[in-house]
Amino acid sequence: MPPSIHPVDLITALRHKHLTPAIVFLTSRRACDEAMEAFDHADAVLPPVRQEAIGAALERVITQYPSIAEHPLIPIVQRIGVAAHHAGHLPSWKIAIEELMRQGHLDAVFATTTLAAGVDFPARTVVITQSSIRKSRDFTDLTIGEVQQVAGRAGRRGKDHVGFAVITPSPYIELNVLTKGLTGHPEAIDSQFTISYPMVLNLLKAHPHEHIQGILAKSFAQFQLNQRAELIQRKLDQVQTQLEPFGPRVCTDWITQWQTFDQVRKRHPSRHPAHRSESPEIVARLAFLTPGRVVGLSKGRGIVLRQYRSKGQKNSMLTMLRPDGAITECPVTSVREVYDRTYDCAEIPSYPWCSTESFDQLSEQLEDLPPRLPILPILTAPSVEPLPDAVVQSLGDFPCPTCSSRPACQKDFPTASRLRQEQHRHMKSIQALRTSLWHRFQERVDVLQTFGYLTSTAQLTADGEWARLIRIDHSLLITELIRAEAFTGADPSLLAGIMASLAHDDDRPGAFPRISPGLSSLLRQVRKLAESLSPHEDPPLLRADVAALAERWIAEPTLTWIGLCRLTTMAEGDIYRLLARTIEFLSQVQTLKATHPGLADSAAEALALIRRGVLEELP
Amino acid sequence: MTTDELEQLLARQPVALLHRLARGRVHRHFRAGKRRLIELLLQHSSQNRAGLESDLQALLEVRQSRPEPGGRPTHTPTPSTRKQLPAQAPIPAVMEPAISLTSWLEGIGVPTPQPFVPDPWQLEALSAVGETDVVISVPTGSGKTYVAVEAARRAMEDNRTVIYTSPLKALSNTKYAEFSRLFGSEKVGILTGDRQENGQAPLLIMTTEILRNLLYDAASGEIDVRLDTLGLVILDESQYLADPERGVVWEETIIFCPSQARLLLLSASIGNPQDIADWLTSIRPTTCRLVRHSKRTVPLRAGYLHPNGKLTPLFRTLGIPYGHPSQLHPEAKRLFSEYEEETLPAGRPRR
């Protein structure tokens, strides 16, 4: 059986059951493209009337977005009435497909799951072939919300009586994820509040430092933290009611008092235990003197067969196998060296302490040992600190031994102390929940102070005043670059190249052979700075190939879109997104007109150059 | 019933039934084999024969009333799932035969065009949005856009500015085209990082990040005068609040949104819309209204298509059996396990 249904068969089956138009969700862009290729030789061709309708509809879109007039997929879409729609395509092409779908000209669209969130065009049927999606680098199961978002595309209001979600297996499917997703209740959402450097700067610009905590308290994050704190508060209340019977006795805070008493009592035992005077060196060795270990004794070597304690002996004892096959007993103290060599030893619980085979084996191995063996370095644990004399002596002064409520305290102490500990734990966690956002804010403030964007009183410095206008990812790196004057005199194409490599966060491989020396040296500088900032901000990917691509697009105004696409293996849609993100970053730099006119002009120039061809069609 | 008869009757029953019978009667009955179990039961019955017999009869009756004796034990949903899903469809009876493909496919087709009648929840949301902030959490494709459009229209009739934000530029563009068609292109503008198209229009479309930046600029004094006349802020796809990277932007936007403007949060179905509404109530001047609705406008059916082209319903029931993921159609179940057996290397468990 094929691992999954052939796309042509799939569409035929759907058409046959009148389940079209359909959106087929596939795992990857490549799967979508391959599904389209599968139709190359299929004989399922649309009747001419419908082909013409598609052509006419496409014409209308093309008048608005001329860049897709020559799109290589047009003929096949027109011929078979099926299209692919994924992030590798140009936005204008995606708009065209959406438009065709909305007007009902297409029978099916192969799409990646990102579509589910990206646009809204419904169909009669959605076909689901996977139960997990690629998130950052690995695959995770679809959540209930995501399954419902995908399935929600089925059934067009006013055009369908019912919608269908059809599951078809592929190697990427796990049925129970999908059935749970279809029948389940969507997950609760949680706040993902993070405190970024620009947020800190902008907040401090508009509000005095002491008001910030109140503003952070308005976040959904704090709302949810408070919800959790309330739960703990309820538990705390319970603990407190449980603690009520253990109120003040002879001493007001008898629990603490008893705790101290108990501690001292434990550390100052009334009876001396049988004291084994083993030095720390010997104690540290004990763990290594296991059966099979080779050790050096005053005369020759031996292999440890067992370790034991004997009542009559002060020290731990060892049973040793000696070179002549003799089994001897000796105290641990007689061991001179512990070697870094152990042999397998099948232990048995009685003489001769190991099985006959391993006894023979060990005897042989002992004979064959080389004259020199590496010595195992054994670190000694520092000896336990003796209790401060003051505490020991104060035991006599404790009221507890003579106190009238001692028996009662002794009886209640375990419960009371457990409750007390619980109470403290809850109080601490509530405190942490209430103040964690503020602490995170303070951490950011500290960093910004060390970099000189904020004064010690948390006022914006001159640098802070303009730095707050850079409100994008990697803002600290960008502002530090500007302060390091990395862009001084750089022409628009270099600036755009760096911005592109900062903006691009996709690690899909792409290749571009040449990079100009100016850009490459600038990029090296950026990398160095990014690395030095990595404790404070995650470094960007800083890919050289995307930087070069953006640089070329701006440096050569005659370069056409198709020419640009030929320079790299990146998909059209990815290049578009790269340049669109670059525009975003550049437009942030452009806002620094007042303080960095040269840089802002350069950014404006780059923006003017970047906006041409395909990039001009959409705002 | 004599002891012999009883013994024979017990011997004919499956051991599972004997165990149920032994529950509470025989200590550690689960360790006994069938023969020993019968022995123990009879031993016990020497004291309370009538009780054992009546229990046995009751159990036998339950078994006989099932369609397939000896089949799977009845699936009863655990109380926890039922509690979790208060407003869901009633528990589908397992006894009902699974739906057939023909009846599953019935009803495909285009409904006769009818004048658009807004759903009650849409009207509820619209009447609320005039007065307070509103959170809407409804399934995908229920008609959130209708609420957004109508709310925007009403706000614009009052000469107030409306801002509509979406998480993605692609969506902004789609909405820009759609709203331009609805309201006329002179009334709709779009803002991006470097471009403004018709930036003075009463209805502005932008991504949430752009709005956040506008609000920061306003807060720090570089005032965009238009924020004074801002009457309505529509945040589409508000479930992005939980996006690990960008979710914070939605929070910032909501926190800094001017208090005279109304907020309209449109979200797909999420688990805790009440939390969002409570949060808005706690930080905004007016009480936030939650409009939620879990029923789809167009009913959904689930199917299973085998790689060989065979189509069957996925669930035993016609619709989706909410809260009962294990109610698979027997045919779908058989085909899928067949698929798993054939495609997986022998002996390797999934995952």
Side-chain angles (χ1 to χ4, degrees):
Chain A
M1 194 192 301
S4 52
I5 192 165
H6 191 273
V8 179
D9 295 343
L10 171 66
I11 302 303
T12 316
L14 292 176
R15 278 183 179 145
H16 182 68
K17 301 281 189 211
H18 304 287
L19 288 174
T20 52
I23 308 175
V24 184
F25 288 105
L26 297 176
T27 11
S28 60
R29 299 173 184 186
R30 179 190 283 207
C32 295
D33 293 337
E34 281 172 357
M36 286 303 287
E37 277 162 26
F39 281 90
D40 275 351
H41 306 291
D43 44 7
V45 179
L46 286 186
V49 191
R50 285 193 56 194
Q51 293 201 16
E52 276 163 29
I54 293 178
L58 271 176
E59 280 304 321
R60 282 195 292 278
V61 185
I62 288 169
T63 49
Q64 207 180 345
Y65 307 110
S67 63
I68 56 166
E70 301 286 306
H71 203 284
L73 285 173
I74 287 180
I76 184 152
V77 169
Q78 205 169 350
R79 193 162 59 85
I80 58 171
V82 174
H85 182 294
H86 57 69
H89 290 140
L90 278 181
S92 40
W93 174 249
K94 290 198 280 186
I95 289 175
I97 298 300
E98 286 159 27
E99 199 52 45
L100 286 179
M101 196 68 179
R102 227 172 268 135
Q103 293 173 12
H105 293 307
L106 294 182
D107 278 348
V109 167
F110 293 105
T112 52
T113 323
T114 41
L115 171 94
V119 293
D120 50 347
F121 65 81
R124 176 173 291 168
T125 307
V126 296
V127 180
I128 305 172
T129 62
Q130 70 201 60
S131 60
S132 51
I133 61 171
R134 188 177 186 264
K135 270 183 193 156
S136 60
R137 254 155 240 183
D138 46 26
F139 280 83
T140 45
D141 280 348
L142 291 166
T143 64
I144 295 175
E146 283 164 342
V147 173
Q148 294 191 349
Q149 184 110 9
V150 168
R153 303 277 163 230
R156 297 158 296 175
R157 198 184 167 130
K159 285 190 195 165
D160 286 315
H161 285 298
V162 272
F164 294 89
V166 174
I167 294 173
T168 184
S170 75
Y172 310 103
I173 206 157
E174 215 163 321
L175 198 58
N176 63 342
V177 173
L178 293 175
T179 51
K180 266 189 204 137
L182 284 171
T183 58
H185 193 63
E187 293 87 356
I189 61 172
D190 286 323
S191 168
Q192 303 288 338
F193 199 73
T194 46
I195 292 174
S196 60
Y197 295 112
M199 188 201 284
V200 173
L201 289 174
N202 281 296
L203 282 176
L204 287 172
K205 166 75 181 172
H207 308 274
H209 189 229
E210 57 271 20
H211 289 184
I212 304 286
Q213 199 167 4
I215 293 170
L216 292 176
K218 287 166 106 185
S219 65
F220 188 48
Q222 190 61 55
F223 181 83
Q224 288 195 314
L225 290 176
N226 286 346
Q227 279 182 334
R228 277 165 58 195
E230 264 160 46
L231 278 182
I232 300 178
Q233 182 70 48
R234 226 168 290 157
K235 274 190 214 161
L236 180 65
D237 291 345
Q238 267 176 16
V239 171
Q240 258 151 357
T241 46
Q242 282 172 339
L243 266 174
E244 262 164 30
F246 308 114
R249 296 188 177 168
V250 175
C251 348
T252 344
D253 193 6
W254 67 274
I255 300 177
T256 320
Q257 179 75 13
W258 186 272
Q259 247 165 7
T260 330
F261 172 60
D262 198 51
Q263 246 169 20
V264 172
R265 212 178 38 156
K266 266 187 199 153
R267 295 178 98 180
H268 183 79
S270 50
R271 213 153 47 95
H272 278 276
H275 203 66
R276 291 186 192 274
S277 59
E278 277 164 350
S279 65
E281 291 79 31
I282 300 295
V283 174
R285 270 181 184 187
L286 286 179
F288 296 93
L289 296 172
T290 49
R293 167 77 63 187
V294 183
V295 297
L297 301 164
S298 47
K299 271 189 201 160
R301 292 161 176 164
I303 295 180
V304 178
L305 290 179
R306 66 164 179 159
Q307 189 192 112
Y308 64 101
R309 279 180 186 270
S310 167
K311 246 188 179 171
Q313 295 286 338
K314 215 169 64 166
N315 288 309
S316 289
M317 298 290 291
L318 294 173
T319 305
M320 306 288 307
L321 174 68
R322 301 305 300 269
D324 45 4
I327 294 179
T328 57
E329 315 287 328
C330 62
V332 194
T333 39
S334 63
V335 172
R336 289 275 173 86
E337 309 286 4
V338 181
Y339 294 120
D340 191 5
R341 172 85 47 117
T342 49
Y343 293 112
D344 284 333
C345 172
E347 294 168 68
I348 55 168
S350 61
Y351 189 85
W353 315 114
C354 66
S355 63
T356 337
E357 302 96 73
S358 74
F359 184 84
D360 295 339
Q361 224 175 339
L362 287 175
S363 311
E364 266 175 49
Q365 280 161 340
L366 190 56
E367 305 289 344
D368 295 345
L369 276 177
R372 274 175 178 281
L373 276 175
I375 291 172
L376 197 68
I378 296 175
L379 296 176
T380 350
S383 56
V384 186
E385 253 177 67
L387 214 56
D389 283 348
V391 177
V392 179
Q393 267 151 27
S394 71
L395 193 57
D397 306 336
F398 261 115
C400 293
T402 54
C403 175
S404 61
S405 87
R406 179 183 163 163
C409 293
Q410 188 164 21
K411 186 169 146 266
D412 292 342
F413 173 66
T415 328
S417 130
R418 186 179 51 79
L419 287 172
R420 171 66 68 86
Q421 274 169 15
E422 226 166 279
Q423 185 190 21
H424 280 241
R425 210 181 56 232
H426 288 330
M427 271 152 63
K428 259 191 199 161
S429 21
I430 290 174
Q431 180 69 14
L433 288 173
R434 301 245 186 242
T435 55
S436 63
L437 276 187
W438 174 241
H439 283 303
R440 270 151 62 194
F441 184 83
Q442 281 297 342
E443 278 168 20
R444 296 286 177 181
V445 168
D446 290 345
V447 173
L448 288 170
Q449 278 171 346
T450 46
F451 280 95
Y453 294 102
L454 289 175
T455 63
S456 53
T457 53
Q459 305 274 317
L460 269 66
T461 61
D463 278 336
E465 285 288 342
W466 59 262
R468 79 187 166 83
L469 296 171
I470 307 289
R471 296 167 185 140
I472 30 180
D473 301 344
H474 313 299
S475 57
L476 187 62
L477 176 58
I478 295 174
T479 52
E480 281 298 296
L481 281 171
I482 294 173
R483 286 171 91 195
E485 308 207 321
F487 300 126
T488 314
D491 50 86
S493 59
L494 279 189
L495 181 63
I498 297 297
M499 287 298 152
S501 73
L502 284 170
H504 195 69
D505 52 6
D506 193 348
D507 57 352
R508 261 174 234 270
F512 179 74
R514 266 177 301 148
I515 175 163
S516 73
L519 182 61
S520 103
S521 75
L522 190 53
L523 204 55
R524 215 169 305 130
Q525 196 187 338
V526 177
R527 274 210 195 97
K528 226 158 136 194
L529 191 60
E531 207 167 304
S532 70
L533 289 179
S534 59
H536 310 296
E537 193 177 63
D538 288 338
L541 284 177
L542 288 175
R543 282 172 50 170
D545 56 339
V546 298
L549 208 59
E551 188 201 15
R552 278 289 277 278
W553 179 246
I554 290 165
E556 291 175 33
T558 50
L559 187 65
T560 60
W561 180 254
I562 296 179
L564 183 73
C565 293
R566 284 215 188 98
L567 287 174
T568 168
T569 54
M570 276 167 80
E572 242 184 337
D574 287 329
I575 307 176
Y576 182 91
R577 220 173 6 266
L578 165 72
L579 292 177
R581 288 266 288 164
T582 312
I583 289 177
E584 246 172 71
F585 275 52
L586 284 171
S587 60
Q588 297 269 307
V589 176
Q590 200 191 359
T591 54
L592 304 181
K593 268 183 228 111
T595 48
H596 300 78
L599 183 65
D601 285 349
S602 183
E605 208 177 315
L607 278 173
L609 286 166
I610 213 168
R611 283 280 196 188
R612 65 189 150 92
V614 178
L615 283 141
E616 213 173 17
E617 286 176 353
L618 290 165
Chain B
M1 209 185 282
T2 66
T3 314
D4 275 352
E5 274 174 14
L6 183 61
E7 190 178 341
Q8 276 162 16
L9 181 62
L10 287 173
R12 281 200 300 274
Q13 303 309 323
V15 72
L17 186 137
L18 298 183
H19 279 298
R20 285 189 65 179
L21 209 54
R23 207 177 289 163
R25 286 196 168 88
V26 181
H27 182 55
R28 300 175 79 161
H29 60 87
F30 44 87
R31 309 199 54 168
K34 187 168 183 180
R35 192 170 293 176
R36 173 84 183 129
L37 200 55
I38 293 174
E39 219 168 84
L40 287 168
L41 280 169
L42 287 173
Q43 212 177 331
H44 172 84
S45 71
S46 61
Q47 287 150 29
N48 183 4
R49 181 68 164 272
L52 180 76
E53 276 177 22
S54 70
D55 279 7
L56 177 62
Q57 287 306 331
L59 280 175
L60 286 177
E61 271 162 33
V62 170
R63 291 191 81 78
Q64 270 150 15
S65 67
R66 282 194 214 160
E68 2 166 34
R72 295 181 299 128
T74 320
H75 170 79
T76 40
T78 54
S80 66
T81 52
R82 213 186 292 177
K83 211 190 297 165
Q84 216 181 353
L85 308 159
Q88 299 295 12
I91 307 150
V94 172
M95 293 76 188
E96 256 174 45
I99 194 93
S100 72
L101 181 63
T102 24
S103 46
W104 185 77
L105 283 170
E106 242 166 47
I108 288 190
V110 183
T112 44
Q114 278 164 352
F116 177 81
V117 182
D119 290 345
W121 71 263
Q122 289 173 321
L123 294 176
E124 184 195 341
L126 277 174
S127 68
V129 81
E131 299 142 26
T132 63
D133 301 329
V134 179
V135 174
I136 297 181
S137 168
V138 293
T140 318
S142 306
K144 289 187 287 270
T145 313
Y146 169 77
V147 180
V149 167
E150 281 306 307
R153 189 197 303 281
R154 292 181 191 182
M156 276 150 66
E157 278 165 10
D158 290 355
N159 281 328
R160 287 183 298 161
T161 310
V162 180
I163 290 180
Y164 176 98
T165 78
S166 75
L168 302 167
K169 252 188 183 172
L171 274 177
S172 296
N173 287 327
T174 317
K175 289 291 173 203
Y176 180 48
E178 189 181 336
F179 289 169
S180 300
R181 222 176 297 139
L182 280 168
F183 296 116
S185 55
E186 74 287 347
K187 286 207 165 164
V188 188
I190 188 166
L191 260 64
T192 63
D194 66 324
R195 278 195 177 184
Q196 284 200 358
E197 264 173 41
N198 210 1
Q200 295 307 310
L203 171 57
L204 290 174
I205 295 165
M206 57 189 85
T207 58
T208 315
E209 271 86 355
I210 302 284
L211 176 57
R212 191 263 321 253
N213 290 351
L214 282 183
L215 293 173
Y216 270 141
D217 287 342
S220 56
E222 294 127 57
I223 188 91
D224 183 31
V225 278
R226 312 259 320 288
L227 285 182
D228 298 338
T229 60
L230 187 60
L232 178 66
V233 175
I234 304 171
L235 300 176
D236 202 356
E237 311 283 341
S238 301
Q239 72 273 14
Y240 260 75
L241 194 71
D243 187 273
E245 273 146 37
R246 299 174 55 203
V248 59
V249 180
W250 271 255
E251 289 194 40
E252 288 172 273
T253 308
I254 291 169
I255 296 170
F256 296 114
C257 187
S259 54
Q260 93 278 359
R262 298 273 158 265
L263 273 172
L264 174 58
L265 268 64
L266 309 176
S267 146
S269 284
I270 52 169
N272 54 347
Q274 189 64 53
D275 283 353
I276 310 270
D278 288 347
W279 169 51
L280 283 180
T281 304
S282 72
I283 63 165
R284 306 269 307 163
T286 54
T287 319
C288 173
R289 183 79 162 270
L290 170 67
V291 178
R292 68 190 296 186
H293 166 81
S294 54
K295 202 163 171 288
R296 289 172 44 98
T297 326
V298 180
L300 184 66
R301 294 177 194 168
Y304 174 80
L305 181 66
H306 204 53
N308 66 11
K310 188 168 167 23
L311 182 71
T312 90
L314 180 64
F315 295 110
R316 302 177 65 95
T317 50
L318 182 63
I320 305 274
Y322 288 102
H324 305 280
S326 56
Q327 295 225 328
L328 288 185
H329 195 277
E331 185 68 5
K333 208 171 181 176
R334 187 182 66 79
L335 286 172
F336 187 73
S337 54
E338 204 174 273
Y339 172 82
E340 282 203 315
E341 265 164 40
E342 286 189 27
T343 49
L344 280 175
R348 204 190 71 188
R350 272 191 95 79
R351 286 277 167 101

